[in-house]
Amino acid sequence: MLSPAQTTIGWDLGGVHVKAALVEAGRVVAAVQVPCPLWQGVPALDQALAALPDWARGEARHAVTMTGELTDCFADRREGVAALSGWAAARLAGPVRIYAGRSGFVAPEAAAAVAADVASANWHATAALAGRRAPDALLIDIGSTTTDLIPIVGGRPAATGYSDAERLETGELVYTGVVRTPVIALADHAPFGGRRTRLMTETFAHMADAYRILGLLPEGADQQASGDRKGKSVAESETRLARIVGRDRAEAPGSAWALLAGHFAEAQLRLLHDAAALLLGRPDISETAPLIPCGAGAFLGRRLADRLGRACVPLIALLEDRVAGSREGVSTCGPAAAVGLIAAEETVA
């Protein structure tokens, strides 16, 4: 590891995961995600920090973005921004700056005053970095819980909305992800055994179960407990999925559960297709603008590009010369890598 003055660590403090990216000499050499049940309180961040590699606790320059301010352990986003910024200033070894999106970087003690710019601005960091390599594109960050669809025009983030509320209205934030989304959030009925059945409106199974059954879930993507707090084998995922249609796993062969899992995967892809198609129809977005997928669900972004007839340029391919460590880690931890690289560039400049 280089000297602290030459080292930057990018952070994405979320309500479910903490992501950290180590940047040395302008390249991401490591990127890691660990679980963080922030809804239990700020001490969960200490547990996450302890679970990270040693470099995350070392002396460095730190650049922090966040989404955890919306967690229900805080009364509102301003309180959350203040708490997370304060934690970073107190716990991270070295100077800390907070990413405020359209307002740039601010000191931790100033973050609450611009909470509206700081709150959930991690998407802005990824889009700002991607725009330096792909001036016209649609960034699609499909995470464990949510999906950000960010138009990039003229090399800059061109989202119509900024806050979570605004982006929910514009379709630039779709609250669906490849791990934590309950399958019943995607449909109220499904085909099974040649018949159409209503579903049990319980959170028995999640999309991690569906993608695990289909063999698509990336290793390490599912870091939270399963719906029944049991294991994560394909058989156990089939058991949880079977409950959605009121059945036991033994009532049908594995092929039947794969078909059911595929139904929910298609429903999720259709949801993202409609959101992306709406944004790609904007008059300021080029008809040749590629999709830039990243996140734990980058595999879904590639399928989406095929469906839309667009070129697909994964974030990790776009940043090929800026990545020296795990490519998949950088994709999953895109905002942390982005904010770290942006901060490192500004420090050199």
Side-chain angles (χ1 to χ4, degrees):
M1 187 168 174
L2 301 179
S3 70
Q6 298 172 296
T7 302
T8 301
I9 300 178
W11 297 85
D12 185 3
L13 305 181
V16 179
H17 302 102
V18 164
K19 302 171 184 178
L22 176 63
V23 179
E24 293 182 338
R27 303 179 76 191
V28 181
V29 299
V32 182
Q33 169 183 278
V34 295
C36 178
L38 187 55
W39 61 87
Q40 296 176 1
V42 174
L45 289 168
D46 293 326
Q47 299 166 16
L49 182 61
L52 285 164
D54 289 343
W55 55 258
R57 294 179 294 278
E59 184 80 17
R61 299 176 182 273
H62 299 274
V64 178
T65 187
M66 63 184 70
T67 61
E69 78 290 333
L70 59 79
T71 310
D72 52 15
C73 69
F74 303 123
D76 55 32
R77 283 172 169 75
R78 181 184 175 92
E79 178 185 307
V81 167
L84 296 182
S85 300
W87 177 86
R91 296 289 192 273
L92 303 181
V96 173
R97 292 192 295 165
I98 308 298
Y99 188 69
R102 57 194 175 190
S103 295
F105 286 97
V106 298
E109 61 272 19
V114 288
D117 289 344
V118 173
S120 296
N122 63 348
W123 60 269
H124 191 283
T126 314
L129 182 66
R132 299 178 182 183
R133 299 296 181 89
D136 293 285
L138 180 64
L139 174 74
I140 301 185
D141 186 346
I142 307 174
S144 63
T145 309
T146 63
T147 297
D148 294 306
L149 300 98
I150 311 302
I152 298 171
V153 178
R156 297 178 178 275
T160 304
Y162 188 89
S163 68
D164 284 344
E166 291 169 350
R167 293 192 303 120
L168 283 169
E169 292 174 351
T170 61
E172 293 158 341
L173 170 60
V174 180
Y175 225 88
T176 194
V178 297
V179 176
R180 299 182 67 240
T181 298
V183 298
I184 56 165
L186 296 165
D188 60 6
H189 59 269
F192 188 80
R195 296 183 178 181
R196 185 165 296 278
T197 177
R198 303 289 296 186
L199 306 179
M200 291 190 171
T201 53
E202 299 282 354
T203 55
F204 291 134
H206 296 76
M207 288 308 294
D209 293 309
Y211 288 121
R212 190 177 294 113
I213 291 168
L214 296 172
L216 296 173
L217 189 69
E219 183 178 355
D222 184 9
Q223 297 186 335
Q224 300 297 323
S226 63
D228 58 5
R229 298 294 193 268
K230 294 182 180 178
K232 296 179 180 179
S233 66
V234 169
E236 288 163 314
S237 292
E238 290 174 345
T239 295
R240 287 187 287 270
L241 193 63
R243 295 192 179 111
I244 291 294
V245 290
R247 296 180 180 271
D248 293 328
R249 173 176 175 262
E251 293 182 51
S255 57
W257 305 124
L259 284 172
L260 184 58
H263 173 77
F264 292 114
E266 169 61 26
Q268 188 170 58
L269 185 61
R270 181 77 240 181
L271 184 65
L272 297 178
H273 172 276
D274 290 350
L278 178 66
L279 295 172
L280 290 170
R282 281 177 32 172
D284 59 338
I285 297 181
S286 168
E287 293 182 357
T288 60
L291 266 60
I292 303 175
C294 63
F299 68 91
L300 200 56
R302 291 188 286 271
R303 293 179 61 193
L304 184 59
D306 287 342
R307 175 173 289 200
L308 290 164
R310 295 278 179 154
C312 179
V313 184
L315 182 67
I316 51 176
L318 195 67
L319 302 177
E320 185 76 43
D321 62 336
R322 307 296 300 278
V323 177
S326 166
R327 290 166 56 87
E328 291 306 315
V330 171
S331 180
T332 300
C333 304
V339 78
L341 285 169
I342 292 171
E345 289 178 3
E346 291 190 4
T347 298
V348 171

